[in-house]
Amino acid sequence: LSNNALTSAPNLDIISDTLSTLYLTGNDISDIDNLGSLNNIATLHIHTDNYPILTDTQMIKSINLCIGKYPIVNDILQQWHWFEILTTLCLDKISLTSFPSFFGVHDTLTSLSLKYNYITHIDEENLNNLTKLHTLNLQGNHIVSTPSFYGVAGTLKYLYLGQNRITGWNIT
């Protein structure tokens, strides 16, 4: 359903038992409640300038969510309790200026991409609370120095910090 003129998601109840990945990119969707039962949806891709209302997403493990309006992102970050089993999250090119708190998914998130934002500082406490983090992509931000990464040292396998402004390396 990518690259259409959808403003809300269609009801997919008839195929929801077999559908595992859903692409809604390239639309202007602000409401996905019409999707119906998302029993087997493991991966949901949404790119929009609107605020997607996500209320029945307990089964979704991976969300590729790219939103163009920064104030909307703060609303979404307050709703991580909806994503209790979320493992992968992409918040690329959404004009973030700071490293967010991912409190609600701190023990499930394994892959996080915050590419091409305006992040200048990685909040060490918020980062080190991500106890299962395997992949972190902070490419193309404005980061000047790195935190110690002590909390994710045992799980982090892929770290992307290219195209930043790093002048100090603080990994201990």
Side-chain angles (χ1 to χ4, degrees):
L1 293 173
S2 291
N3 300 314
N4 284 289
L6 296 173
T7 57
S8 65
N11 186 308
L12 299 175
D13 273 339
I14 196 164
I15 58 172
S16 67
D17 287 339
T18 57
L19 196 62
S20 65
T21 300
L22 179 59
Y23 289 86
L24 296 173
T25 58
N27 288 290
D28 201 18
I29 295 173
S30 60
D31 183 356
I32 66 164
D33 280 347
N34 294 339
L35 283 174
S37 174
L38 299 175
N39 292 337
N40 292 315
I41 296 284
T43 305
L44 175 64
H45 297 266
I46 301 174
H47 295 208
T48 183
D49 279 340
N50 288 321
Y51 176 42
I53 299 168
L54 306 168
T55 57
D56 188 21
T57 58
Q58 289 82 12
M59 299 306 293
I60 296 175
K61 294 179 182 171
S62 174
I63 294 182
N64 182 336
L65 178 63
C66 294
I67 300 173
K69 295 180 180 173
Y70 175 70
I72 293 169
V73 174
N74 289 328
D75 293 335
I76 291 169
L77 295 179
Q78 301 303 315
Q79 299 173 24
W80 291 129
H81 63 278
W82 286 343
F83 311 112
E84 293 172 353
I85 59 173
L86 183 67
T87 59
T88 303
L89 183 63
C90 163
L91 295 173
D92 297 341
K93 299 180 184 178
I94 58 171
S95 302
L96 284 175
T97 57
S98 62
F99 192 87
S101 168
F102 296 99
F103 179 74
V105 294
H106 69 279
D107 58 351
T108 61
L109 200 61
T110 60
S111 180
L112 175 61
S113 181
L114 302 171
K115 296 187 304 187
Y116 301 105
N117 282 293
Y118 299 96
I119 298 170
T120 59
H121 172 75
I122 303 170
D123 183 283
E124 194 159 346
E125 182 178 356
N126 288 340
L127 171 65
N128 289 320
N129 282 334
L130 298 173
T131 58
K132 303 260 195 238
L133 197 62
H134 180 274
T135 303
L136 176 61
N137 193 334
L138 291 163
Q139 180 178 329
N141 280 282
H142 298 199
I143 298 167
V144 177
S145 65
T146 60
S148 68
F149 293 97
Y150 70 87
V152 295
T155 61
L156 194 63
K157 295 191 184 322
Y158 303 98
L159 174 62
Y160 302 93
L161 292 169
Q163 299 175 346
N164 277 285
R165 299 174 180 172
I166 296 174
T167 59
W169 191 255
N170 299 324
I171 296 179
T172 57

